[in-house]
PDB file of all heavy atoms in Angstrom:
ATOM      1  N   MET B  15      77.915  -6.965 -18.301  1.00  0.00           N
ATOM      2  CA  MET B  15      76.623  -6.334 -18.102  1.00  0.00           C
ATOM      3  C   MET B  15      76.187  -5.653 -19.401  1.00  0.00           C
ATOM      4  O   MET B  15      75.005  -5.769 -19.779  1.00  0.00           O
ATOM      5  CB  MET B  15      76.739  -5.240 -17.047  1.00  0.00           C
ATOM      6  CG  MET B  15      77.109  -5.696 -15.664  1.00  0.00           C
ATOM      7  SD  MET B  15      75.733  -6.197 -14.679  1.00  0.00           S
ATOM      8  CE  MET B  15      74.707  -4.787 -14.604  1.00  0.00           C
ATOM      9  N   HIS B  33      50.339  -3.766  -6.960  1.00  0.00           N
ATOM     10  CA  HIS B  33      50.571  -4.902  -6.035  1.00  0.00           C
ATOM     11  C   HIS B  33      49.916  -4.670  -4.671  1.00  0.00           C
ATOM     12  O   HIS B  33      49.692  -5.624  -3.984  1.00  0.00           O
ATOM     13  CB  HIS B  33      52.040  -5.094  -5.817  1.00  0.00           C
ATOM     14  CG  HIS B  33      52.729  -5.592  -7.075  1.00  0.00           C
ATOM     15  ND1 HIS B  33      52.732  -6.921  -7.439  1.00  0.00           N
ATOM     16  CD2 HIS B  33      53.421  -4.960  -8.029  1.00  0.00           C
ATOM     17  CE1 HIS B  33      53.407  -7.129  -8.513  1.00  0.00           C
ATOM     18  NE2 HIS B  33      53.801  -5.890  -8.983  1.00  0.00           N
ATOM     19  N   CYS B  44      36.588 -14.586 -17.857  1.00  0.00           N
ATOM     20  CA  CYS B  44      36.900 -15.330 -19.057  1.00  0.00           C
ATOM     21  C   CYS B  44      38.127 -14.608 -19.740  1.00  0.00           C
ATOM     22  O   CYS B  44      38.325 -13.387 -19.594  1.00  0.00           O
ATOM     23  CB  CYS B  44      35.787 -15.269 -20.040  1.00  0.00           C
ATOM     24  SG  CYS B  44      34.190 -15.805 -19.384  1.00  0.00           S
ATOM     25  N   ASN B  86      42.099  -5.188  -3.103  1.00  0.00           N
ATOM     26  CA  ASN B  86      42.451  -5.231  -1.696  1.00  0.00           C
ATOM     27  C   ASN B  86      42.101  -3.926  -1.001  1.00  0.00           C
ATOM     28  O   ASN B  86      42.985  -3.179  -0.561  1.00  0.00           O
ATOM     29  CB  ASN B  86      44.002  -5.482  -1.604  1.00  0.00           C
ATOM     30  CG  ASN B  86      44.423  -5.739  -0.151  1.00  0.00           C
ATOM     31  OD1 ASN B  86      43.608  -5.872   0.699  1.00  0.00           O
ATOM     32  ND2 ASN B  86      45.728  -5.705   0.023  1.00  0.00           N
ATOM     33  N   ILE B  87      40.789  -3.622  -1.027  1.00  0.00           N
ATOM     34  CA  ILE B  87      40.316  -2.391  -0.381  1.00  0.00           C
ATOM     35  C   ILE B  87      39.032  -2.852   0.327  1.00  0.00           C
ATOM     36  O   ILE B  87      38.520  -3.976   0.154  1.00  0.00           O
ATOM     37  CB  ILE B  87      39.999  -1.319  -1.339  1.00  0.00           C
ATOM     38  CG1 ILE B  87      39.002  -1.780  -2.430  1.00  0.00           C
ATOM     39  CG2 ILE B  87      41.270  -0.807  -1.978  1.00  0.00           C
ATOM     40  CD1 ILE B  87      38.561  -0.710  -3.406  1.00  0.00           C
ATOM     41  N   ALA B 101      25.917   2.121  -1.588  1.00  0.00           N
ATOM     42  CA  ALA B 101      26.994   3.116  -1.604  1.00  0.00           C
ATOM     43  C   ALA B 101      26.511   4.490  -1.045  1.00  0.00           C
ATOM     44  O   ALA B 101      27.247   5.161  -0.340  1.00  0.00           O
ATOM     45  CB  ALA B 101      27.482   3.364  -3.039  1.00  0.00           C
ATOM     46  N   ARG B 106      26.953   8.430   3.219  1.00  0.00           N
ATOM     47  CA  ARG B 106      26.290   9.291   4.127  1.00  0.00           C
ATOM     48  C   ARG B 106      26.809   9.099   5.579  1.00  0.00           C
ATOM     49  O   ARG B 106      26.920  10.079   6.358  1.00  0.00           O
ATOM     50  CB  ARG B 106      24.796   9.133   4.104  1.00  0.00           C
ATOM     51  CG  ARG B 106      24.198   9.700   2.819  1.00  0.00           C
ATOM     52  CD  ARG B 106      22.695   9.880   2.882  1.00  0.00           C
ATOM     53  NE  ARG B 106      22.232  10.514   1.643  1.00  0.00           N
ATOM     54  CZ  ARG B 106      21.071  11.029   1.528  1.00  0.00           C
ATOM     55  NH1 ARG B 106      20.199  11.000   2.561  1.00  0.00           N
ATOM     56  NH2 ARG B 106      20.670  11.540   0.397  1.00  0.00           N
ATOM     57  N   ILE B 131      18.875   5.711 -11.041  1.00  0.00           N
ATOM     58  CA  ILE B 131      18.359   7.032 -11.397  1.00  0.00           C
ATOM     59  C   ILE B 131      18.131   7.943 -10.156  1.00  0.00           C
ATOM     60  O   ILE B 131      18.500   9.073 -10.085  1.00  0.00           O
ATOM     61  CB  ILE B 131      17.033   6.878 -12.162  1.00  0.00           C
ATOM     62  CG1 ILE B 131      17.420   6.343 -13.592  1.00  0.00           C
ATOM     63  CG2 ILE B 131      16.298   8.193 -12.312  1.00  0.00           C
ATOM     64  CD1 ILE B 131      16.212   6.096 -14.488  1.00  0.00           C
ATOM     65  N   ASN B 146      29.396  -1.749 -19.368  1.00  0.00           N
ATOM     66  CA  ASN B 146      28.353  -2.106 -20.301  1.00  0.00           C
ATOM     67  C   ASN B 146      28.815  -3.037 -21.435  1.00  0.00           C
ATOM     68  O   ASN B 146      29.583  -2.616 -22.284  1.00  0.00           O
ATOM     69  CB  ASN B 146      27.780  -0.770 -20.891  1.00  0.00           C
ATOM     70  CG  ASN B 146      26.698  -0.999 -21.881  1.00  0.00           C
ATOM     71  OD1 ASN B 146      26.192  -2.160 -22.019  1.00  0.00           O
ATOM     72  ND2 ASN B 146      26.293   0.073 -22.583  1.00  0.00           N
ATOM     73  N   MET B 157      19.429 -11.415 -23.100  1.00  0.00           N
ATOM     74  CA  MET B 157      19.279 -10.067 -23.525  1.00  0.00           C
ATOM     75  C   MET B 157      19.160  -9.128 -22.333  1.00  0.00           C
ATOM     76  O   MET B 157      18.429  -9.398 -21.340  1.00  0.00           O
ATOM     77  CB  MET B 157      18.021  -9.900 -24.358  1.00  0.00           C
ATOM     78  CG  MET B 157      17.887  -8.604 -25.111  1.00  0.00           C
ATOM     79  SD  MET B 157      16.353  -8.477 -25.971  1.00  0.00           S
ATOM     80  CE  MET B 157      15.294  -7.947 -24.699  1.00  0.00           C
ATOM     81  N   THR B 160      20.428  -3.094 -22.439  1.00  0.00           N
ATOM     82  CA  THR B 160      21.491  -2.426 -23.228  1.00  0.00           C
ATOM     83  C   THR B 160      21.868  -3.208 -24.520  1.00  0.00           C
ATOM     84  O   THR B 160      22.680  -2.722 -25.300  1.00  0.00           O
ATOM     85  CB  THR B 160      22.712  -2.287 -22.403  1.00  0.00           C
ATOM     86  OG1 THR B 160      22.897  -3.547 -21.679  1.00  0.00           O
ATOM     87  CG2 THR B 160      22.643  -1.201 -21.363  1.00  0.00           C
ATOM     88  N   ASP B 175      14.462  -7.565 -31.577  1.00  0.00           N
ATOM     89  CA  ASP B 175      13.492  -6.884 -32.371  1.00  0.00           C
ATOM     90  C   ASP B 175      12.880  -5.729 -31.532  1.00  0.00           C
ATOM     91  O   ASP B 175      12.193  -5.968 -30.605  1.00  0.00           O
ATOM     92  CB  ASP B 175      12.356  -7.883 -32.759  1.00  0.00           C
ATOM     93  CG  ASP B 175      11.264  -7.225 -33.551  1.00  0.00           C
ATOM     94  OD1 ASP B 175      11.300  -6.022 -33.813  1.00  0.00           O
ATOM     95  OD2 ASP B 175      10.246  -7.938 -33.859  1.00  0.00           O
ATOM     96  N   THR B 178       9.117  -5.438 -30.471  1.00  0.00           N
ATOM     97  CA  THR B 178       8.548  -6.175 -29.318  1.00  0.00           C
ATOM     98  C   THR B 178       9.424  -6.105 -28.094  1.00  0.00           C
ATOM     99  O   THR B 178       8.936  -6.214 -26.971  1.00  0.00           O
ATOM    100  CB  THR B 178       8.360  -7.667 -29.704  1.00  0.00           C
ATOM    101  OG1 THR B 178       9.580  -8.139 -30.190  1.00  0.00           O
ATOM    102  CG2 THR B 178       7.256  -7.840 -30.751  1.00  0.00           C
ATOM    103  N   HIS B 204      39.105  -1.255 -24.851  1.00  0.00           N
ATOM    104  CA  HIS B 204      39.469  -2.239 -25.903  1.00  0.00           C
ATOM    105  C   HIS B 204      40.780  -1.930 -26.630  1.00  0.00           C
ATOM    106  O   HIS B 204      41.300  -2.747 -27.397  1.00  0.00           O
ATOM    107  CB  HIS B 204      38.328  -2.424 -26.912  1.00  0.00           C
ATOM    108  CG  HIS B 204      38.109  -1.218 -27.826  1.00  0.00           C
ATOM    109  ND1 HIS B 204      37.842   0.062 -27.342  1.00  0.00           N
ATOM    110  CD2 HIS B 204      38.104  -1.116 -29.169  1.00  0.00           C
ATOM    111  CE1 HIS B 204      37.733   0.847 -28.391  1.00  0.00           C
ATOM    112  NE2 HIS B 204      37.845   0.161 -29.448  1.00  0.00           N
ATOM    113  N   SER B 236      32.322  -2.370 -22.740  1.00  0.00           N
ATOM    114  CA  SER B 236      33.210  -3.537 -22.616  1.00  0.00           C
ATOM    115  C   SER B 236      32.709  -4.689 -23.460  1.00  0.00           C
ATOM    116  O   SER B 236      31.677  -4.629 -24.112  1.00  0.00           O
ATOM    117  CB  SER B 236      33.344  -3.918 -21.129  1.00  0.00           C
ATOM    118  OG  SER B 236      34.349  -4.878 -20.975  1.00  0.00           O
ATOM    119  N   SER B 270      31.885  22.524 -15.171  1.00  0.00           N
ATOM    120  CA  SER B 270      32.308  23.725 -15.881  1.00  0.00           C
ATOM    121  C   SER B 270      33.610  24.145 -15.108  1.00  0.00           C
ATOM    122  O   SER B 270      33.779  23.799 -13.965  1.00  0.00           O
ATOM    123  CB  SER B 270      31.252  24.776 -15.818  1.00  0.00           C
ATOM    124  OG  SER B 270      30.699  24.858 -14.525  1.00  0.00           O
TER     125      SER B 270
END
Side-chain angles (χ1 to χ4, degrees):
Chain B
M15 297 271 303
H33 291 278
C44 310
N86 187 11
I87 55 176
R106 288 195 177 195
I131 288 178
N146 180 9
M157 192 184 82
T160 43
D175 176 2
T178 53
H204 71 301
S236 189
S270 44

